[in-house]
Amino acid sequence: MTLPVIFLMGPTASGKTATALALFESQPVEIVSVDSAQIYRGMNIGTAKPTPDVLRRAPHHLLDILEPTETYSAAQFCKDAKRLIEEIMARDKIPLLVGGTMLYFSALAEGLSALPGSNAHLRKTLEERANKLGWANLHTELGRVDPILAERINVADTQRIQRALEVYYSTGVPMSQLQQQRGAALTERIIKVALIPSDRARLHEHIAQRFDVMLALGLIEEVEALRGKYALTANHPSMKSVGYRQVWQYLEGELNTQALREKGIAATRQLAKRQLTWLRAIQAEEFDSLDPATAENVRCYLERELQHG
């Protein structure tokens, strides 16, 4: 039997880790994390990284592979994931890719667009211009050079505005055009599973409860420790992650405790909305993440798929 690759996808706070653990205990799988924040060492609470107890039971690949001052790209993820998939299959195990970073899943399944690597000098120049003129001004500029992409990017999404302008000024070609030129996609059979809540309001409740737990566990202290250990700035990708960005603003005196909580929860809900929009646009077997039997239902589905594969 040819082994497949399993994608276990879902928005934040949808119970992906619990389902992955159930599958690990019932199927010959190895877990690969698909999370652009859990790659960073020391970022544990705010990323809902699996606990040491969980990792002892079920080791995860691609956790804690970078310092928070480093950068990581979808291209690097594809390279690492393809290597791991090959190694896992050589051990006669099934790669179980679990997470919520939809760009990584898309790049792996469909092939990566022909985008240039990061240009540190150009990024710095764009940041300096944004500090002087405001990101809204740069979003307007993006509308002139790449109107298709500007229409898709919210004026508040500074990271994507910066990247889109960086790509344009590096290549002279709009990023939206380069995204149409795809590299090699994963050739293995992919079984896609999506955990999608049947009640958006209950997902929002879970998100709020989880953010409160993160604060109680010491999210603020975690960011303080990272700032003390590393030469971090608010512009590092790690510190732009949901939750970390808001705590950074709190530590800079820009937010009080109540605003930190409100903005952290709101940003997490916005992330979940983007994740759900992406999930609904692809063909995946959907399961209600709010159903207590979800893990068992996913297990039964995968057993049938593996038998018929």
Side-chain angles (χ1 to χ4, degrees), residues 192-207:
K192 297 178 182 178
V193 172
L195 305 184
I196 296 181
S198 56
D199 185 339
R200 186 74 65 90
R202 284 181 61 192
L203 174 65
H204 287 177
E205 289 174 8
H206 288 178
I207 286 171

Side-chain angles (χ1 to χ4, degrees), residues 9 42 71 74 118 129 163 186-187 198-199 229 244 278 305 309:
M9 306 169 287
T71 59
S118 178
R129 289 182 54 212
R163 177 58 177 159
L186 203 63
T187 56
S198 56
D199 185 339
K229 183 176 181 180
Y244 290 88
W278 187 89
E305 286 295 304

